[in-house]
Amino acid sequence: MPFLVPEYCKGCGRCITSCTKGCITPGTEINPLTGLVPVVLDLTDCNACELCIDACPEPFGLRPEGEQAAFELRDPAELGGPRPYDAPVPEPLPDTTLALPGRAPLVVKGTYASALGAVLGGCRHVYGYPITPSTEGAELMAKLQPMLDGVFVQAVSEVATVNMMYGAGGAGKRCMTFTSSPGFSLMLEGISYLIGAEVPAVFVNIMRGGPGLGNIAPAQADIKLACRGLGHGNTHAIVLAPATPQEMLDLTMLSFDLAFRYRNPVVVLGDGYLGQMTGKVRLPDHMVVPGIPEWAVYGDHSHRGNLICSIELQEADLERHNLDLDAKYARMTATEQRADLHHCDDADVVVVACNTPAQLAKGAVKELREQGVKVGLFRPITLWPFPIDAFREVAERARHLVVVEASEGQLEDEMRLALSYAGVHAPPISHVRRQGGVLPSQAEVVQQVLALTHEREGVL
Amino acid sequence: MPTSVFYRQFERHDHATGIKAHTTTYCPGCGHGVAQQFLAEAIDELGVQDRTVLVSPVGCSVFSYYYFDVGNTQAAHGRAPAVAIGHKTANPDSIVVCYQGDGDLASIGLAEIISAAQMGLPITIIFVNNAIYGMTGGQMAPTTLLGQNTTTSPGGRTTFAGEPLKVAEMIAGLDGPVFVERVALYDNRRRTHAKRAIKKALELQANGTGFAFIEVLSECPIHLNMTPEDAEGWVRDTMQQVFPLGVKKDATDRQYPEIPTPAFDAEATLAAMGTTTEQAERHATGFPAHLDPDDISLKLAGAGGDGAQTAAMLITKAAINEGFDSTDIPSYGPESRGGTSYADVHVAATEVLSPAAPHPHVLVAFNAPSLAKFGPTVRPGGVVIYDSSIVGEVPSSLADGVRVVGVPFAAVARDLGAVQVKNVVALGALQGATGLFPKETFLTVIRSALVGKRAVLELNEQAFARGAELASAVAAPAG
């Protein structure tokens, strides 16, 4: 036989038509607590068929009389009855590492190196959609993962890809994708959700020429997206910029640790050259065996109480969540800045560059040093957070900064923002920029630095 | 039946204040509450509460995670099936359920649901079709009936918006699903049946059978502007005429293949990566400084399919085997065969800094357009090696002191009976003309590239030897 707490009845009356005995009638009294009109039960003719309970849309609406009937029906707080919550507080299953025996260096292309870094970083869940010039990474994963009982899923789109990562990352697994600029654009909505729900995931974006479909040649014009535009809302992620195939492996491997340390996506930005370029790659001395973090929605007893969600309906709750994210971003900024300084100690001119342009800028530094020009290279490895702690001193001492990049000034914007926030009095800033799939050349860098030094010496 | 699959208190519902601790966000008479009760009971009866991951959609059921005491994930609009694939592949033992409305599943999420259904991974979809957008306030859904009034089809839906989408039939037409049924909630009989269908769909996942899809015709009295009773009548008399109930597909005699669980073994991982402990034997006595003191750039250019890319890769491998640094950047047109194809290679004593080769020391040209285009870019004193069986005329605009070595790559390869080895003839010619590395260095990488293909090894070795011989005859290498 059913019983009903009137406060939990919305008065829809679906039970009325379900009852073949006519036990239930529409109410007439407005319930003062809910403002609704609950139904009225008269169970004289009730045969306990319980069809009314099936018809009731409310979990605490019509319920079978039983042990619960012993409760004070008018006290909603007590009504829940003895429903023990038996899912324990989940314990984290920590990551471990396995030592790797020495191996001869590999000769592989950048996307392959990145895929190997992911595998060694414990990634066995790869989701992706083919796009040049990143596809080889996905192709290698499609071959490697089944050999290691891992998973590669070719999704219907980049939009589906990032949401598969939301699922697998939310389950606590190390997951990643390979993509390139137009595909990365499509993933941004999902990245915003990942950040909001604090789900770790790794994105390797091999940047190509844009805007629009652009071309498949190397570019660096997604720096702004990765550093300032990861979808809607208050979003940031650590952005790593490798410069060699070796760093494609090392930084991709590192990115999984960072993603899980902060419960946040990590973006590895390469340029098209770096993705396609074959080079020498040494393997690390260990590989990671990932555990399962305590917050994961893994689908087992101990993780049953968890929720992966980016909704906070109450403004105060959402503001608090944003402040928590801010605090996390501040921790990343304080501890995760990475940079490579090359001949910066006595440099009058400091070239700032990342990815392949940093390599050729290094070539320019070598060439110029041979001519006696005091020039150095500052190479941010994290584009966000910009390594301002290391850059401050370099920038304050230099007479010129030259930003070398394959975009319209996106790296320079990051640098200028960092300088500005840090209150650094920077020297004049000039640049060497190419776009549309063209990288700056070593000769162009040399020429720009020489022009600056000649100008200073009054030669011009 | 009462079920412990609902939380005892809805803590996530406005921090369980007042009666929100025990009531849903659904309007009076909404079918969601009924369908969710059946889902909760099915989870309970099958004993899979601990293993269940419920993916909440965007729409009126967005807050399903307020109620279900299971692992919960809340997805972006329409993406629940993709999120479900992530969860299921992350833990194949989990029971993953997507609970989605008609806007979420049948409009913005069409690509995800169709691809997930076709993939057929064992997940369970509960698709609640009430022919209208609820949460946004009564707009037209893909399943809105012709003539039905909504805020975005005022005066009634016309065929300009297309016919209502029959999702269950569409999903049943795919190969992936094992079970597709449309059920309804408008009377006791339909409810009893709906409950059974939802349980069956879940059971098919628990048994590992496959992908199951239940479309539930549901009532939205508020936006239909009806009493709950009239809404039930409308579903019975009008809606189900367009969306007939019943099993649309039953292929439950199948069994989805087992989803693997990852292994973490150092040796197996290294083996899969194709690593080796063997350090290749070195044959060079030092860096080929006769070409450049510390960084030699080469360009290999031809048409797609000429083998320029493979040859470039072998040069890079050879250089690294010798302990030098090397890079190789491919570049090709959109065609998989034909079109232009070239590669920039650097060999450096210590580190390659600028990987492009706009002014190479050495050009290997497989055809006339490549020679015409890149010949003039070769730096003074450089070397141009070209296929003299294909190229008739060498451009006159070469830089000072560029040595030109013509070797009939294609003709030699044809004579050997396999035109595809012309790139190996070219490598031989490169060796013979430049002395970049000793012959054995090249032969080592050729052999390792042909591991398991012994039959063609001798052919390749002959091609290499012939190329080297002919190039040496044309011009003795400098240095």
Side-chain angles (χ1 to χ4, degrees), chain B residues 125-158:
Chain B
I125 311 280
I126 310 297
F127 166 50
V128 177
N129 173 6
N130 57 12
I132 201 152
Y133 278 63
M135 179 162 264
T136 48
Q139 292 78 28
M140 181 174 63
T143 51
T144 292
L145 306 188
L146 286 179
Q148 188 184 334
N149 252 313
T150 72
T151 60
T152 50
S153 59
R157 180 178 186 157
T158 67

Side-chain angles (χ1 to χ4, degrees), chain B residues 103-276:
Chain B
D104 193 76
L105 181 140
S107 187
I108 196 169
L110 269 179
E112 281 75 14
I113 187 60
I114 290 179
S115 55
Q118 185 66 352
M119 186 180 177
L121 202 66
I123 56 176
T124 305
I125 311 280
I126 310 297
F127 166 50
V128 177
N129 173 6
N130 57 12
I132 201 152
Y133 278 63
M135 179 162 264
T136 48
Q139 292 78 28
M140 181 174 63
T143 51
T144 292
L145 306 188
L146 286 179
Q148 188 184 334
N149 252 313
T150 72
T151 60
T152 50
S153 59
R157 180 178 186 157
T158 67
T159 50
F160 181 68
E163 298 272 342
L165 191 63
K166 295 171 189 65
V167 180
E169 285 79 0
M170 182 174 69
I171 299 296
L174 300 172
D175 302 304
V178 295
F179 187 73
V180 180
E181 184 171 6
R182 183 183 288 124
V183 298
L185 305 170
Y186 58 75
D187 65 15
N188 286 335
R189 197 166 142 222
R190 291 340 110 162
R191 282 192 288 266
T192 307
H193 194 84
K195 193 159 136 176
R196 270 207 299 270
I198 288 173
K199 185 176 172 187
K200 176 168 183 172
L202 212 59
E203 206 165 10
L204 288 169
Q205 180 177 178
N207 296 341
T209 309
F211 182 97
F213 184 97
I214 307 296
E215 176 172 338
V216 182
L217 300 188
S218 174
E219 297 80 10
C220 178
I222 301 298
H223 292 299
L224 290 173
N225 202 15
M226 293 176 187
T227 65
E229 188 180 348
D230 288 347
E232 287 181 337
W234 183 80
V235 174
R236 178 187 65 232
D237 301 330
T238 307
M239 191 178 176
Q240 75 165 344
Q241 306 310 312
V242 180
F243 299 110
L245 306 185
V247 174
K248 308 294 176 184
K249 179 174 186 185
D250 187 339
T252 50
D253 51 347
R254 298 207 305 242
Q255 188 73 14
Y256 193 84
E258 195 180 336
I259 304 166
T261 309
F264 292 90
D265 177 82
E267 289 296 337
T269 306
L270 291 173
M273 290 176 173
T275 63
T276 161

Side-chain angles (χ1 to χ4, degrees), chain B residues 73-96:
Chain B
T73 294
Q74 199 289 315
H77 199 19
R79 315 301 171 214
V83 174
I85 289 171
H87 276 284
K88 190 70 180 182
T89 49
N91 178 9
D93 193 47
S94 59
I95 303 291
V96 185

Side-chain angles (χ1 to χ4, degrees), chain A residues 164-288:
Chain A
M164 289 177 184
M165 294 167 74
Y166 183 87
K173 292 293 186 182
R174 295 183 168 216
C175 66
M176 62 107 52
T177 193
F178 285 95
T179 190
S180 179
S181 307
F184 191 63
S185 285
L186 277 172
M187 292 175 175
L188 292 176
E189 180 208 33
I191 294 179
S192 169
Y193 281 73
L194 289 167
I195 293 172
E198 301 194 82
V199 176
V202 171
F203 295 81
V204 178
N205 175 8
I206 307 297
M207 295 179 284
R208 61 186 241 188
L213 211 46
N215 62 24
I216 57 172
Q220 293 179 294
D222 299 351
I223 291 175
K224 185 164 57 187
L225 271 190
C227 295
R228 304 282 149 194
L230 293 176
H232 54 283
N234 169 18
T235 58
H236 278 296
I238 295 173
V239 179
L240 297 165
T244 59
Q246 181 69 54
E247 279 196 346
M248 287 290 279
L249 185 149
D250 297 341
L251 295 181
T252 305
M253 188 170 174
L254 169 72
S255 64
F256 288 93
D257 286 339
L258 296 176
F260 275 75
R261 189 175 305 156
Y262 295 101
R263 278 191 69 179
N264 203 61
V266 172
V267 181
V268 179
L269 278 187
D271 59 71
Y273 262 14
L274 206 47
Q276 296 290 319
M277 187 166 73
T278 294
K280 176 160 67 175
V281 172
R282 293 183 188 283
L283 295 181
D285 62 1
H286 71 281
M287 62 180 266
V288 177

